[in-house]
């Protein structure tokens, strides 16, 4: 395993586990990474800055405001391949979750656009507190990676979850994040997410319950593996990670325009959006008056963006991979696979992800999905998994298809 040329910012915060982190700094350096250490003031009470400076060959940062013209957190964050926080105290996790930037560590984290890996370490009570649970959920939702904590002896003499992962495991997790990151470097992805809203009048629309989560998890996964990702997204309810370009749209027509404009440059187009199937043939310029009685709304189909891309190769880059979704009310994986294959043929897509939207734990508005992925190399029954795990399975399949083209 080589991390040659990788720039890692190692943020050390004030927990007793900080005494183990020089081993992490040394391990990463030995693998070829260029490690720059940032310490919070309280971290320096547990381990000396000099230790890190000697192990990494670089001075240690701790002050937000330097005497020179450089802005330290901007300089540090720019060009970094990974920010690793070890140990990450409950306080550090809370600051990152909220976006506080009152010291060099937190300002660096707010500035960085690269992957972030966090190794929490704290007493069990703090780890299990609802505030920490919520903060950790916010971080993972944003695409931050976690290693540990593990269960074991804590400095308080207690046993339980909250102990920092061992240095070797932290190094392995950092290497894993850094290596998957490269797989799609130089590739352009266009991902659509969320539902569209088709206006009836200036305040009313036809829409659906899509949260946007599936498309966002796919976009985050592709970005994590080094792709340059544009997310074309309808009105949604979940946050979007920072390292993704976002194009906001509302209607199917707007989504079509945004996707087609970028299609000829894209190596991969993933249509995870729940595009409304119908739109009103005319929409009222002024709000329809209730007193005028129920309006007769005549619906016409929206443009089928996926089918258009699938049927006209001139719209897309040679060798690109086109992925669509099929929302089905079908819990049986074998039948789901048949539906996926049928949709793959009818849309001219390379890959179709068919998901079952008939149960409470799969489909719209929930963090899990039951799905099969159909492509030219066969169908894969992914089963009931988190949308993040389904995103990872899909991106792996897409990366393999790109490798073949
Ligand atoms: O035809 P159906 O709506 O079942 O197909 C779903 C797939 O087609 C999804 O990938 C969705 O994003 C895409 N789609 C589209 N334009 C539409 C309707 C669906 O691109 N108007």
């Amino acid at each position: 395993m080589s991390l040659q040329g990788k720039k890692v910012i190692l943020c050390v915060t004030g927990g007793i586990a900080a005494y183990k982190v020089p081993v992490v700094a040394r391990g990463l350096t030995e693998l070829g990474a260029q490690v720059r250490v940032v310490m919070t003031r309280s971290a320096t009470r547990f381990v000396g800055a000099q230790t890190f400076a000697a192990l990494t060959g670089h001075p240690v940062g701790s002050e937000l405001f330097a005497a020179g013209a450089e802005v330290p957190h901007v300089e540090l964050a720019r060009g970094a391949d990974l920010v690793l926080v070890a140990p990450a105290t409950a306080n550090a996790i809370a600051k990152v979750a909220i976006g506080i930037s009152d010291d060099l560590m937190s300002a660096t984290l707010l500035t960085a656009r690269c992957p972030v890996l966090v190794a929490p370490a704290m007493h069990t009570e703090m780890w299990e507190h609802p505030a920490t649970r919520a903060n950790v959920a916010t971080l993972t939702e944003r695409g931050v990676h976690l290693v540990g904590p593990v269960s074991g002896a804590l400095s308080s003499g207690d046993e339980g979850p909250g102990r920092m992962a061992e240095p070797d495991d932290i190094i392995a997790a950092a290497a894993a994040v850094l290596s998957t990151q490269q797989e799609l470097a130089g590739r352009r992805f266009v991902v659509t997410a969320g539902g569209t809203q088709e206006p009836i009048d200036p305040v009313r629309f036809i829409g659906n319950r899509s949260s946007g989560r599936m498309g966002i998890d796919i976009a985050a996964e592709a970005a994590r593996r080094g792709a340059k990702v544009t997310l074309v997204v309808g009105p949604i309810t979940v946050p979007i990670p920072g390292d993704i370009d976002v194009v906001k749209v509302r209607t199917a027509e707007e989504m079509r325009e945004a996707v087609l404009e970028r299609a000829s440059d894209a190596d991969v187009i993933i249509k995870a959006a729940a595009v409304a199937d119908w739109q009103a043939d005319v929409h009222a310029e002024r709000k329809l008056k209730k007193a005028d009685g129920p309006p007769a709304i005549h619906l016409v189909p929206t443009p089928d963006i996926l089918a258009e891309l699938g049927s006209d190769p001139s719209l897309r880059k040679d060798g690109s991979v086109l992925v669509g979704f099929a929302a089905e009310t079908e819990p049986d994986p074998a039948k789901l696979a048949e539906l996926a294959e049928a949709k793959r043929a009818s849309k001219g897509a390379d890959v179709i992800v068919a998901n079952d939207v008939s149960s409470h734990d799969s489909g719209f508005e929930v963090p899990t999905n039951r799905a099969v992925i159909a492509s030219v190399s066969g169908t894969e029954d992914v089963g009931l998994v988190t949308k993040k795990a389904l995103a990872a399975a899909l991106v792996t399949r897409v990366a393999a298809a790109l490798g073949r083209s």
Side-chain angles (χ1 to χ4, degrees):
M1 167 167 64
S2 166
L3 301 181
Q4 203 62 44
K6 296 288 173 194
K7 192 171 154 195
V8 178
I9 302 173
L10 174 55
C11 297
V12 188
T13 72
I16 179 73
Y19 83 94
K20 295 184 184 173
V21 176
V23 179
V24 175
R26 192 192 56 197
L28 292 171
T29 307
E30 281 174 356
L31 289 170
Q34 204 191 98
V35 180
R36 301 296 298 264
V37 175
V38 170
M39 298 179 80
T40 61
R41 201 158 293 161
S42 50
T44 59
R45 301 172 72 143
F46 294 94
V47 56
Q50 202 51 46
T51 308
F52 285 112
L55 289 169
T56 62
H58 294 287
V60 170
S62 55
E63 294 307 320
L64 189 51
F65 302 106
E70 283 183 353
V71 184
H73 58 280
V74 176
E75 285 305 314
L76 273 168
R78 194 168 283 155
D81 296 299
L82 175 72
V83 179
L84 166 61
V85 189
T89 57
N91 181 51
I93 289 172
K95 278 164 79 165
V96 180
I98 302 170
I100 290 176
S101 59
D102 62 350
D103 60 10
L104 184 58
M105 187 261 330
S106 50
T108 302
L109 275 153
L110 204 56
T111 313
R113 287 292 170 267
C114 60
V116 175
L117 173 65
V118 167
M122 65 198 75
H123 296 298
T124 302
E125 288 82 353
M126 295 172 90
W127 175 247
E128 289 178 346
H129 194 283
T132 307
R133 309 285 356 114
N135 290 333
V136 169
T138 301
L139 294 193
T140 46
E141 191 62 53
R142 237 181 250 156
V144 168
H145 304 275
L146 247 73
V147 51
V150 294
S151 273
L154 301 169
S155 62
S156 52
D158 303 329
E159 287 256 333
R163 186 183 157 95
M164 189 178 76
E166 289 306 315
D168 280 351
D169 293 330
I170 297 175
I171 294 167
V177 174
L178 283 164
S179 65
T180 50
Q181 193 195 344
Q182 280 171 311
E183 182 186 5
L184 294 171
R187 299 294 197 173
R188 281 179 184 275
F189 274 55
V190 173
V191 181
T192 69
T196 62
Q197 295 182 350
E198 310 302 330
I200 295 170
D201 70 12
V203 295
R204 302 182 178 95
F205 59 81
I206 299 165
N208 58 64
R209 286 167 34 215
S210 170
S211 63
R213 199 188 298 256
M214 189 67 243
I216 288 171
D217 285 347
I218 294 167
E221 181 65 23
R224 191 174 76 78
R225 300 192 197 190
K228 188 158 177 9
V229 182
T230 302
L231 185 71
V232 179
V233 65
I236 51 156
T237 52
V238 292
I240 302 172
D243 48 358
I244 292 168
D245 287 335
V246 180
V247 180
K248 291 191 174 159
V249 296
R250 208 173 142 222
T251 64
E253 297 276 4
E254 287 171 16
M255 183 170 279
R256 173 180 178 273
E257 209 166 292
V259 171
L260 291 191
E261 210 172 279
R262 292 162 180 83
S264 58
D265 277 342
D267 297 290
V268 178
I269 301 174
I270 301 184
K271 295 266 352 324
V275 185
D277 290 316
W278 304 288
Q279 59 189 339
D281 59 348
V282 280
H283 72 261
E285 291 302 325
R286 298 174 72 92
K287 186 180 170 210
L288 297 172
K289 293 268 182 231
K290 186 174 167 184
D292 293 342
I297 299 168
H298 183 239
L299 298 177
V300 292
T302 53
D304 190 325
I305 311 162
L306 180 63
E308 188 172 353
L309 289 166
S311 63
D312 184 352
S314 72
L315 295 172
R316 292 163 48 206
K317 189 172 169 179
D318 278 350
S320 62
V321 178
L322 179 64
V323 182
F325 271 70
E328 305 287 355
T329 44
E330 179 53 77
D332 176 359
K335 290 193 182 132
L336 204 52
E338 279 171 29
L339 293 169
E341 242 338 295
K343 182 139 294 185
R344 205 168 78 77
S346 73
K347 297 270 188 172
D350 301 299
V351 182
I352 286 285
V353 182
N355 61 321
D356 170 34
V357 294
S358 66
S359 63
H360 67 282
D361 54 6
S362 177
F364 284 12
E365 292 176 314
V366 291
T368 46
N369 236 341
R370 191 187 313 275
V372 300
I373 304 176
S375 72
V376 69
S377 48
T379 52
E380 174 184 348
D381 177 12
V382 186
L384 178 64
V385 292
T386 62
K387 287 182 176 172
K388 280 194 194 337
L390 175 57
L394 175 63
V395 174
T396 297
R397 204 161 247 249
V398 166
L402 275 176
R404 280 193 297 272
S405 69

